[in-house]
Amino acid sequence: MDWGNQTTVTEFVLVGFGDLPDLQILLFLLFLVIYMATVAGNTLIVVLVVADQHLYTPMYFFLGNLSCLETCYTSTILPRMLASLLTGDKTISVNGCITQLYFFGALASTECYLLAVMSYDRYLAICKPLHYSSLMSTRFCLQLSAGSWLNGCLAITIFTLCVSQFIFCGPNEIDHFYCDPIPLIKLSCGDTRLIILVDFILACVFTLPPFLLTLMSYVCIIATILRIPSTAGRQKAFSTCSSHLIVVTIFYGSLMIVYMLPKVYTLRVLNKVLSLCYTVLTPLVNPLIYSLRNREVREALRKALSKYITFTKNVENPR
């Protein structure tokens, strides 16, 4: 059947935070500041990693990838949300919704793989320090990075192709601030059992392995750290992975709570708030966590600011 020609719904309504009409302007200003800070912070991390030779290490190479991803990740949701809060127009076309679903899903899946790669990098650095340099070669780092992006895109491509064949014939309201797959599937007037099965299989094949790899890496890391005899040695070893562990906890913790919560009407607000943790909060706090807790990043930032101040003085007071 040519299901595409039978689609009667041409646009969806993203309810978002429409049940808080008195707070629309306040929410707009709040999310605008968050978006600007997220883009600025993650862009700064990317610039520092590219510009400072002291950050030419596997850990910071993956951090640069993560910061680049977070900038794109938050840009798939927040600009649309900001426009909705400012204008009051909550509609989005079916094609626009599926497009947002694709990019959001691809970037979220890629983040799972990148977090797993970063945890594996820390595992090698702490548990196998003598072999770290030979194992984490430049070529291997590039392969891990490319594999993360490709796997993330492949997983959501299959799912999006299935969703794009759905018939949407009403209702057309999505009680969320972005095109989340679960509410979107519920709006289909066809049989959704197959797509739910596909979603489950893809989650097991593409999302579960990086999560398990991340979990196993940190089990090994913590076990190795606990075997270090001196307190100073344990603190030094833990400091190299604590930033990444915080990010992993926030991302996976909020993600699992959201998708494990019962999908009942009374919990819809809590669902949206927790969804903000992995869609908005994680991209915002990543630069703060890594810049405040990593001495190398702080030093690179200090040198960059020093060069900028010197350049500004030379421009203002030419000889």
Side-chain angles (χ1 to χ4, degrees), residues 86-100:
L86 185 63
T87 64
D89 181 13
K90 302 183 184 302
T91 61
I92 183 171
S93 67
V94 172
N95 290 335
C97 188
I98 293 176
T99 301
Q100 186 189 62

Side-chain angles (χ1 to χ4, degrees), residues 63-210:
L63 175 59
N65 272 263
L66 182 65
S67 294
C68 180
L69 180 142
E70 298 287 27
T71 303
C72 301
Y73 184 57
T74 193
S75 296
T76 63
I77 294 176
L78 279 183
R80 177 66 187 77
M81 188 197 301
L82 290 171
S84 175
L85 290 170
L86 185 63
T87 64
D89 181 13
K90 302 183 184 302
T91 61
I92 183 171
S93 67
V94 172
N95 290 335
C97 188
I98 293 176
T99 301
Q100 186 189 62
L101 170 66
Y102 172 78
F103 283 104
F104 169 76
L107 293 168
S109 300
T110 302
E111 180 159 6
C112 291
Y113 279 93
L114 276 178
L115 290 175
V117 167
M118 293 174 76
S119 65
Y120 179 66
D121 171 71
R122 292 300 83 205
Y123 160 75
L124 292 179
I126 294 173
C127 301
K128 299 182 181 297
L130 298 179
H131 304 285
Y132 178 74
S133 298
S134 59
L135 291 174
M136 271 294 172
S137 62
T138 301
R139 181 178 180 180
F140 188 51
C141 289
L142 291 173
Q143 289 173 341
L144 288 174
S145 176
S148 298
W149 288 90
L150 290 174
N151 275 311
C153 293
L154 177 61
I156 194 62
T157 298
I158 300 171
F159 180 75
T160 306
L161 287 175
C162 294
V163 173
S164 65
Q165 300 302 310
F166 276 4
I167 304 171
F168 298 102
C169 48
N172 69 335
E173 283 193 353
I174 298 177
D175 192 12
H176 220 306
F177 55 84
Y178 71 97
C179 291
D180 188 52
I182 295 177
L184 183 62
I185 290 173
K186 290 181 178 180
L187 295 182
S188 171
C189 44
D191 189 354
T192 60
R193 287 176 296 181
L194 178 60
I195 189 63
I196 292 174
L197 177 61
V198 170
D199 187 30
F200 176 75
I201 293 173
L202 290 175
C204 291
V205 172
F206 288 97
T207 308
L208 189 59

Side-chain angles (χ1 to χ4, degrees), residues 8 16 151 219 224 280 296:
T8 56
N151 275 311
V219 168
T224 301
V280 177
E296 293 88 350

Side-chain angles (χ1 to χ4, degrees), residues 4-316:
N5 293 333
Q6 298 184 26
T7 301
T8 56
V9 170
T10 59
E11 61 184 20
F12 296 117
V13 177
L14 292 175
V15 176
F17 300 97
D19 51 350
L20 303 171
D22 297 334
L23 299 178
Q24 298 297 291
I25 298 301
L26 179 61
L27 288 173
F28 170 78
L29 294 175
L30 174 63
F31 287 124
L32 178 62
V33 171
I34 288 175
Y35 181 57
M36 293 174 65
T38 299
V39 173
N42 283 289
T43 303
L44 179 61
I45 293 291
V46 174
V47 171
L48 290 176
V49 170
V50 172
D52 196 308
Q53 292 185 352
H54 294 93
L55 301 183
Y56 285 9
T57 64
M59 183 175 76
Y60 292 111
F61 170 72
F62 296 129
L63 175 59
N65 272 263
L66 182 65
S67 294
C68 180
L69 180 142
E70 298 287 27
T71 303
C72 301
Y73 184 57
T74 193
S75 296
T76 63
I77 294 176
L78 279 183
R80 177 66 187 77
M81 188 197 301
L82 290 171
S84 175
L85 290 170
L86 185 63
T87 64
D89 181 13
K90 302 183 184 302
T91 61
I92 183 171
S93 67
V94 172
N95 290 335
C97 188
I98 293 176
T99 301
Q100 186 189 62
L101 170 66
Y102 172 78
F103 283 104
F104 169 76
L107 293 168
S109 300
T110 302
E111 180 159 6
C112 291
Y113 279 93
L114 276 178
L115 290 175
V117 167
M118 293 174 76
S119 65
Y120 179 66
D121 171 71
R122 292 300 83 205
Y123 160 75
L124 292 179
I126 294 173
C127 301
K128 299 182 181 297
L130 298 179
H131 304 285
Y132 178 74
S133 298
S134 59
L135 291 174
M136 271 294 172
S137 62
T138 301
R139 181 178 180 180
F140 188 51
C141 289
L142 291 173
Q143 289 173 341
L144 288 174
S145 176
S148 298
W149 288 90
L150 290 174
N151 275 311
C153 293
L154 177 61
I156 194 62
T157 298
I158 300 171
F159 180 75
T160 306
L161 287 175
C162 294
V163 173
S164 65
Q165 300 302 310
F166 276 4
I167 304 171
F168 298 102
C169 48
N172 69 335
E173 283 193 353
I174 298 177
D175 192 12
H176 220 306
F177 55 84
Y178 71 97
C179 291
D180 188 52
I182 295 177
L184 183 62
I185 290 173
K186 290 181 178 180
L187 295 182
S188 171
C189 44
D191 189 354
T192 60
R193 287 176 296 181
L194 178 60
I195 189 63
I196 292 174
L197 177 61
V198 170
D199 187 30
F200 176 75
I201 293 173
L202 290 175
C204 291
V205 172
F206 288 97
T207 308
L208 189 59
F211 171 71
L212 293 177
L213 176 60
T214 303
L215 187 62
M216 290 171 59
S217 295
Y218 274 104
V219 168
C220 295
I221 288 171
I222 293 172
T224 301
I225 290 175
L226 292 177
R227 288 198 297 267
I228 298 175
S230 66
T231 303
R234 287 196 297 268
Q235 290 178 344
K236 182 179 180 180
F238 186 73
S239 67
T240 64
C241 62
S242 58
S243 300
H244 182 253
L245 183 59
I246 293 172
V247 171
V248 168
T249 303
I250 295 174
F251 180 77
Y252 276 115
S254 57
L255 194 64
M256 286 190 293
I257 292 173
V258 165
Y259 285 98
M260 289 175 65
L261 276 177
K263 300 301 182 283
V264 295
Y265 183 77
T266 54
L267 294 177
R268 72 192 191 285
V269 176
L270 178 61
N271 187 293
K272 293 178 187 178
V273 172
L274 290 173
S275 296
L276 288 173
C277 290
Y278 64 85
T279 57
V280 177
L281 180 62
T282 303
L284 173 66
V285 300
N286 274 3
L288 297 175
I289 292 173
Y290 282 106
S291 61
L292 293 176
R293 299 185 63 88
N294 286 66
R295 181 179 56 82
E296 293 88 350
V297 175
R298 293 199 304 269
E299 182 64 23
L301 181 59
R302 186 192 64 78
K303 289 193 294 184
L305 289 174
S306 177
K307 289 180 181 179
Y308 175 75
I309 292 172
T310 302
F311 174 76
T312 304
K313 288 181 179 179
N314 291 336
V315 171
E316 292 177 352

